[in-house]
Amino acid sequence: MPRQNCEDFRQLFVNDTPLMDMRAPVEFVQGAFPTSTNHPLMEDEERKAVGTCYKAHGQDAAIALGHQLINGDIKAARLAQWKAFAEANPNGYLYCFRGGLRSRITQQWLKEAGIDYPMVVGGYKALRRFLIDTIDTVAQQPMTIVGGNTGSGKTIMVNELANGIDLEGAANHRGSSFGRYVTAQRTQIDFENVLAVEMLKKQAQGCTHFVFEDEGRAIGSTSVPLSINAAMGNADVAIVDDPLDVRIDRLIDDYVVRMQRDYIALNGEQQGWELFTEYLERGMFGIRKRLGMKRYEELLVAQQQAIANQKSNGSLTEHDNWLRPLLIEYYDPMYTYQLSKKADRIVFRGNYQEVKSWLADK
């Protein structure tokens, strides 16, 4: 018996159900879902032509043009993609923007090829609305913010906690001048979609109280959803007070060891070193005005010497020469000032393990 079209959006996301997105590539790039794959009914130019025809001559003429554009070998190639997806993902679903004509045509052509494949009722628009509503619902639930100076391991902690929500992970950016990863940051829509799916999974595990890392509104080029940002501004705060040396070790592991390894893995030895060097230099360049040009130039030289030393003999020790003053002179004073505005909301302080243990009981 054929499976029915789906209206249970929660289970789709909680179970990482494979989704076939029938929208045009330009729509998919603007925003999609973590388990979706783009196998469009129409490519961008075809969609544009059909849309123009629809406005000028109505739906029947637009449908006729669509069948004219997508015929013969083109239709066969796209149908082959859809069949391959359906056979590889027998538990999946397809969707278009509203669950309308594109979904029904795809279903019809698949059925003619011997495959009954269900669609998501309401399509992308309904799924997206559901995820936005999920974010707003979580914003109304109890939450605690974990704060602390740069290098306190806050992101590590929220990922270790069963009720932790990793905003930076969802954005694919660490939220500082040195925050980008080797892969591109997510779009705003993709950031929100990944974030909402993570929230749904935590809810399914029984979480009713969430822990977020202390963040500003902006994480790289993305923005924390308004409802979450507002709730974070009123939430209790737990502060990690770890020694400077411990924090520097974490930063070297994160910004130096990990990034150098990832750049080389993705780009090869020579280009990887070049991109890694550029990454650290761009991070320093981004805060040059706040450092003052003289201090910026001094720390940049120290950073370049550390990279050269690391490349020649694998030593990481000289990275302390630019990271330590950067924390003492720039990041720590900035965070101390920001924290002073939240003093009345601080409910717990301790080292990493103490804060983690305290939050685990929430």
Side-chain angles (χ1 to χ4, degrees):
M1 181 177 177
R3 292 185 299 129
Q4 298 301 303
N5 293 333
C6 181
E7 297 183 76
D8 190 348
F9 303 154
R10 182 178 302 275
Q11 288 306 310
L12 285 180
F13 291 120
V14 169
N15 294 328
D16 289 329
T17 305
L19 300 171
M20 182 162 63
D21 190 321
M22 315 313 303
R23 298 176 302 154
V26 67
E27 298 172 279
F28 185 82
V29 169
Q30 290 170 354
F33 307 112
T35 60
S36 61
T37 303
N38 191 211
H39 290 309
L41 173 64
M42 294 182 288
E43 295 292 339
D44 294 337
E45 289 303 314
E46 295 162 348
R47 172 178 170 267
K48 184 178 179 180
V50 169
T52 300
C53 181
Y54 178 86
K55 290 178 182 177
H57 305 291
Q59 186 181 69
D60 289 344
I63 292 174
L65 177 60
H67 283 286
Q68 180 183 334
L69 292 172
I70 308 163
N71 211 333
D73 291 344
I74 294 176
K75 178 179 176 180
R78 289 183 196 170
L79 185 56
Q81 283 188 327
W82 304 342
K83 286 179 64 178
F85 183 92
E87 290 164 358
N89 301 284
N91 63 324
Y93 296 84
L94 63 85
Y95 67 87
C96 61
F97 184 65
R98 292 188 180 87
L101 193 57
R102 284 182 283 183
S103 290
R104 293 197 298 272
I105 289 173
T106 304
Q107 282 187 310
Q108 178 188 334
W109 289 358
L110 277 170
K111 191 168 186 177
E112 290 169 358
I115 297 176
D116 277 302
Y117 208 66
M119 71 175 183
V120 177
V121 176
Y124 171 85
K125 188 175 181 180
L127 291 170
R128 171 76 175 146
R129 181 73 260 169
F130 174 72
L131 292 182
I132 292 172
D133 290 344
T134 295
I135 291 173
D136 292 341
T137 297
V138 168
Q140 298 171 20
Q141 295 184 255
M143 67 171 65
T144 304
I145 308 304
V146 55
N149 283 317
T150 301
S152 296
K154 302 182 290 291
T155 303
I156 298 171
M157 187 180 296
V158 296
N159 279 286
E160 290 177 344
L161 291 167
N163 58 345
I165 300 290
D166 183 5
L167 292 168
E168 293 183 356
N172 199 40
H173 194 283
R174 285 166 294 201
S176 72
S177 183
F178 296 89
R180 65 188 176 101
Y181 288 104
V182 297
T183 52
Q185 182 171 5
R186 290 190 174 96
T187 65
Q188 181 68 28
I189 291 174
D190 284 348
F191 164 51
E192 292 168 358
N193 288 347
V194 169
L195 179 62
V197 170
E198 183 64 19
M199 291 171 171
L200 286 169
K201 290 179 177 180
K202 298 289 184 180
Q203 287 177 329
Q205 294 163 10
C207 295
T208 56
H209 183 125
F210 296 93
V211 177
F212 293 85
E213 179 178 349
D214 192 11
E215 296 283 357
R217 179 78 204 286
I219 303 178
S221 60
T222 60
S223 298
V224 176
L226 283 171
S227 59
I228 295 294
N229 184 250
M232 290 172 66
N234 295 309
D236 289 344
V237 181
I239 301 296
V240 179
D241 285 323
D242 266 357
L244 180 62
D245 286 347
V246 172
R247 294 192 285 124
I248 289 173
D249 285 346
R250 284 200 190 101
L251 292 176
I252 289 176
D253 186 63
D254 198 16
Y255 291 162
V256 177
V257 175
R258 174 181 176 180
M259 294 298 287
Q260 183 262 359
R261 178 195 65 212
D262 290 353
Y263 272 117
I264 288 177
L266 191 64
N267 302 282
E269 186 78 16
Q270 181 175 341
Q271 189 181 14
W273 272 107
E274 292 172 359
L275 291 172
F276 167 64
T277 301
E278 177 194 344
Y279 152 74
L280 287 182
E281 290 178 350
R282 281 180 59 184
M284 190 75 77
F285 183 79
I287 56 175
R288 68 195 183 285
K289 292 181 181 178
R290 296 181 180 180
L291 290 171
M293 290 307 296
K294 182 176 183 297
R295 192 57 173 142
Y296 157 70
E297 290 170 0
E298 292 170 349
L299 293 180
L300 181 62
V301 168
Q303 182 190 79
Q304 292 170 335
Q305 289 175 343
I307 295 170
N309 194 43
Q310 178 187 0
K311 188 175 182 180
S312 66
N313 59 32
S315 173
L316 301 171
T317 55
E318 289 194 21
H319 284 288
D320 188 280
N321 295 340
W322 65 272
L323 267 172
R324 186 176 296 269
L326 203 60
L327 292 185
I328 294 172
E329 299 170 23
Y330 173 66
Y331 280 110
D332 286 4
M334 179 177 66
Y335 191 72
T336 298
Y337 171 72
Q338 293 172 348
L339 199 59
S340 68
K341 300 178 180 180
K342 307 167 188 173
D344 60 329
R345 295 192 282 124
I346 298 173
V347 294
F348 189 83
R349 301 186 81 117
N351 63 31
Y352 183 92
Q353 288 302 327
E354 290 167 342
V355 173
K356 181 183 172 183
S357 297
W358 184 80
L359 287 170
D361 292 332
K362 291 293 179 184

